């Protein structure tokens, strides 16, 4: 589907494992060992930037900043995709890993602060009962 895929992961052990498992694929680009709060992608690089089940490790301010940097990293007509668990209201703090599961209104507020508009959204279907609901958003710059 894509000619090149870059991977960003802050844990160097996971980056090393990913290089072993994926490094020989022709579509694999860069493997970057950096936290998303410190990730500064090159401008005009990506058609799609996909964030899945990782954004709960960022503060709201860091998340807004990441999205603003990501907008600049998109090519014309590029899209940011977010796929995350959704709290039913407010947020839920996981005391084991200190991540936050945000509610849909909280995500919408972050998107607004980052100057993103939702162009498509959908709920994950056929997920096992007892898990958080999962929602996906496709986003573009609102300007």
């Amino acid at each position: 589907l894509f000619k090149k895929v870059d991977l960003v992961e802050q844990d160097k052990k996971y980056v090393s494992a990913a290089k072993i498992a994926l490094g020989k694929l022709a579509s694999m680009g860069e493997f970057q060992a950096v936290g998303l709060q410190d990730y500064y992608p090159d401008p005009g690089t990506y058609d799609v930037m996909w964030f899945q089940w990782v954004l709960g490790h960022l503060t709201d301010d860091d998340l807004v900043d990441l999205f603003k940097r990501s907008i600049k990293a998109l090519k014309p007509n590029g899209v940011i995709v977010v796929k995350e668990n959704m709290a039913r209201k407010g947020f839920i703090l996981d005391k084991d890993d200190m991540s936050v599961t945000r509610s849909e209104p909280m995500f919408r507020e972050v998107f607004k602060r980052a100057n993103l508009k939702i162009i498509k959204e959908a709920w994950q279907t056929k997920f096992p009962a007892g898990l958080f609901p999962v929602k996906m958003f496709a986003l573009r710059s609102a300007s």
Side-chain angles (χ1 to χ4, degrees):
L1 184 61
F2 297 104
K3 293 178 184 172
K4 180 181 148 196
V5 176
D6 293 338
L7 182 140
V8 178
E9 163 59 51
Q10 75 175 12
D11 190 315
K12 291 179 183 177
K13 292 183 302 187
Y14 291 139
V15 172
S16 294
K19 284 180 180 179
I20 292 167
L22 304 171
K24 292 183 181 178
L25 296 175
S27 61
M28 283 310 301
E30 296 179 28
F31 293 84
Q32 298 186 39
V34 62
L36 292 175
Q37 69 277 8
D38 298 316
Y39 177 56
Y40 287 81
D42 292 331
T45 303
Y46 297 103
D47 295 304
V48 175
M49 295 186 76
W50 188 288
F51 301 98
Q52 180 170 328
W53 292 319
V54 296
L55 301 178
H57 295 281
L58 297 176
T59 66
D60 286 356
D61 288 343
D62 284 341
L63 185 51
V64 169
D65 290 344
L66 170 66
F67 285 147
K68 287 179 178 180
R69 294 190 305 270
S70 297
I71 289 169
K72 292 176 184 175
L74 292 174
K75 293 179 181 177
N77 298 315
V79 176
I80 294 170
V81 176
V82 170
K83 182 176 180 178
E84 289 286 336
N85 294 339
M86 295 288 140
R88 286 172 176 71
K89 64 179 184 174
F91 67 91
I92 298 170
L93 175 64
D94 183 320
K95 293 181 181 174
D96 291 330
D97 69 5
M98 299 308 290
S99 66
V100 173
T101 302
R102 294 172 175 88
S103 62
E104 183 178 349
M106 290 182 78
F107 268 107
R108 289 179 182 276
E109 180 60 26
V110 166
F111 299 155
K112 181 179 176 183
R113 286 178 53 201
N115 196 37
L116 287 166
K117 66 179 176 182
I118 299 168
I119 58 171
K120 182 79 174 172
E121 57 188 288
W123 289 98
Q124 177 74 46
T125 59
K126 301 180 183 175
F127 238 44
L131 298 178
F132 283 111
V134 174
K135 189 151 193 185
M136 298 156 285
F137 299 93
L139 307 144
R140 283 202 174 116
S141 174
S143 331

